[in-house]
Amino acid sequence: MFDLTTRDIKFLQGVGPQRATLLNKELNLFSLNDLLYYFPYKYVDRSRLYYIHEIDGNMPYIQLKGQILSFETMGEGRQRRLIAHFSDGTGVVDLVWFQGIKYLVGKYKTHEEYVVFGKPTVFNGRINVAHPDIDPAKDLTLSTMGLQPYYNTTEKMKRAGLHSHALEKLVGNAFALLQGTLPETLSTKVVEENHLMSLDEALRNIHFPQSPEKLRRAQYRLKFEELFYIQLNILRYTKDRQRKFRGLCFERVGEIFNTFYSQNLPFLLTGAQKRVIKEIRKDMGSGRQMNRLLQGDVGSGKTLVALMSMLIALDNGYQACMMAPTEILAAQHYETIRQLLFGMNVRVELLMGSVKGKKREEILKGLLTGEIQILIGTHAVLEDTVHFSSLGMVVIDEQHRFGVAQRAKLWKKNTCPPHVLVMTATPIPRTLAMTLYGDLDVSVIDELPPGRKPIQTIHQFDNRRVSLYAGIRKQIEEGRQVYIVYPLIKESEKMDIKNLEEGYGHICAEFPNCKVSKVHGQMKPAEKDAEMQRFVNGETQIMVATTVIEVGVNVPNASVMVIENAERFGLSQLHQLRGRVGRGADQSYCILVTSYKLSEETRKRLEIMVQTNDGFEIAEADLKLRGPGDLEGTQQSGVAFDLKIADIARDGQLLQHVREIASNIIDKDPTGSFPENEVLWRQLQTLRKTHVNWAAIS
Ligand code: ADP
Ligand code: MG
């Protein structure tokens, strides 16, 4: 049978080649199916009539029934307009047109009953409705018109007459073409068990709702379907991979791990660290490849967990590798890990872009012979020249800077893919993690090491510098260190530096007895590191920086984080920055400095920061304020957030629900051979073909 839904949109009545090109380019609509899945963004109730005396200029769309009393043309040139004085007996409004005047005067008659639909505005004390929809009252049965759909269009489309109303007509034409019911895209079982509306009914009601209740059910069904297939896709990949690749089986916990645990561990593990290490051990010993996302708020002690996981690989005769997004961080990990392993016979090396020549060759050789057991590094470890003798475990720190493709590259560094532990300090809300990293198991460190005092966060307007500086001075006198961060202005790196330089000069003048460090993105890595190191060693008391210090840097003695122009930062970034302090036992402070003029949204953001230190709470709030498209980490993840109807911030529960359903189906039918599920796999294939990004999740 010929499938109308795949038919090119240009053959639809009312489209044609020119409009088709617009629909392709502007809305990415190519087939009738695409059109049917282009959903209205709102609905207006047309069953309700208003009286003119009820109307003010703040109302959305309204509908009136009455007569045109008289016509009048006014203005000259581009100002020329036609006005129809329209009355329903309770008052008069002016209907206004700037185009098609001659045609309109011929078309509409005075003293006939019309229904007028449009948005009222008040102009010179009179109510206007510009370019309204007008229909003879006898042609409409308002009680059956109900909710009218509104579609987003673009300026270009409007110029070609493709406004919302025109799209509505096209959708109507498409339904007229489709005889019979549209084929179901979910299995009968899924539809029945979840009491879902059929696809056919849902699509018809999402465009032309028969009632608010049916609209609600249609929305639910379509959200369900959208989220369900995203989950089915991710879970299918995971299970296929698990079937194809057997993972390395690290059954043993041996001498290295135990020596470290009993002799080198500088403190007791927190309960959360213990739990997570257990989860990781279980994964690595299961015979399946581990793919685990470790989420833990800043300062929760992820590094230690990473190290102990790597030691398990070593105990089983394999090498381990840890990647960080910047040289500063990689170097810091290297130092930390060497200190932690002090006195133990484990060879650790550091590989980054700046490691060259003989040293580099030595490392490459040591990796091949297996003498080097742990390699710490940046992206440099991904290069094709880097070969391991037996890589068994990979840790990726601060995951959001690494894309899916890079993760895949790592797997290929060993014939059997190594276990992967991805660590992130950007707490990703659970719902988002499931969509983005649905193929990863998730562990959470939800407990900070003991003895930490919660950071106190204060919002201060920038005219209160005197007291701000007094506070800083006091901390420095007590032997603490201070960060002062300036925003990065994307458009102009020069401006950043200027901003930073000014701040630096200002701070040096204000604190003549202190040594001040300065770090920004334009510095050479070696310079940056040296300057960073001076601060870490306590040679300097104040660190003036752009956001380069955002990720992972650890200076327990620093107790104050001042963020200048805090209004320019997103919530998760503010939280990351704040996490640089509060790492020691002393009371720490985060001061958010802003100008007096703030938008409502910014005010909310700052309020949240002042109220809570909980990274997950902040991430949830961020998701709600900004939407997932903006969330850090989503851009490079390979998943485009072009959800048509579901909303990750709001539909978390549904997402969880459909994930369980999808997971059950795959568990029961791992090879996809049950006839009852055939429709699911077929639809998944179709979606993988049309959603380019879906293929990238692996
Ligand atoms: P993050 O999770 O942000 O990477 P780190 O691993 O850098 O956190 O740890 C933050 C600080 O907490 C470090 O100074 C580390 O030595 C310390 N730390 C980690 N685990 C514990 C623990 N169980 N008890 C006390 N301090 C700990
Ligand atoms: Mg860290």
Side-chain angles (χ1 to χ4, degrees), residues 296-303 322 329 332-333 397-398 423-425 551-554 580 583:
D297 214 342
V298 277
S300 60
K302 294 186 292 293
T303 317
M322 180 164 178
L329 265 181
Q332 193 162 48
H333 279 319
D397 192 16
E398 308 299 352
M423 307 201 292
T424 175
V551 197
V553 176
N554 190 19
R580 297 306 111 220
R583 304 187 144 229

Side-chain angles (χ1 to χ4, degrees), residues 677-697:
N677 293 332
E678 201 199 318
V679 54
L680 300 179
W681 310 129
R682 209 177 336 115
Q683 178 70 3
L684 190 59
Q685 281 312 319
T686 312
L687 290 170
R688 278 182 183 176
K689 265 186 232 137
T690 47
H691 291 56
V692 182
N693 284 306
W694 280 33
I697 308 172

Side-chain angles (χ1 to χ4, degrees), residues 17 68 131 213 308 456 534:
I68 294 171
H131 288 254
E213 169 60 16
M308 293 180 71
Q456 220 175 309
R534 287 198 334 131

Side-chain angles (χ1 to χ4, degrees), residues 9 19-31 34-35 37-39 41 151-158 162-164 166-168 170-171 642 644:
I9 203 164
R19 284 182 158 193
T21 311
L22 272 174
L23 291 168
N24 296 166
K25 286 210 177 119
E26 299 289 299
L27 298 182
N28 215 10
L29 304 181
F30 291 88
S31 68
D34 294 341
L35 181 65
Y37 275 87
Y38 189 70
F39 302 141
Y41 69 96
Y151 299 86
N152 276 320
T153 64
T154 64
E155 279 311 311
K156 265 193 196 156
M157 291 175 63
K158 280 182 193 143
L162 278 173
H163 36 74
S164 170
L167 276 175
E168 181 189 338
L170 294 183
V171 174
D642 60 345
K644 288 188 166 65

Side-chain angles (χ1 to χ4, degrees), residues 33-47:
N33 201 50
D34 294 341
L35 181 65
L36 294 183
Y37 275 87
Y38 189 70
F39 302 141
Y41 69 96
K42 70 168 184 187
Y43 303 86
V44 174
D45 187 356
R46 288 208 65 174
S47 62

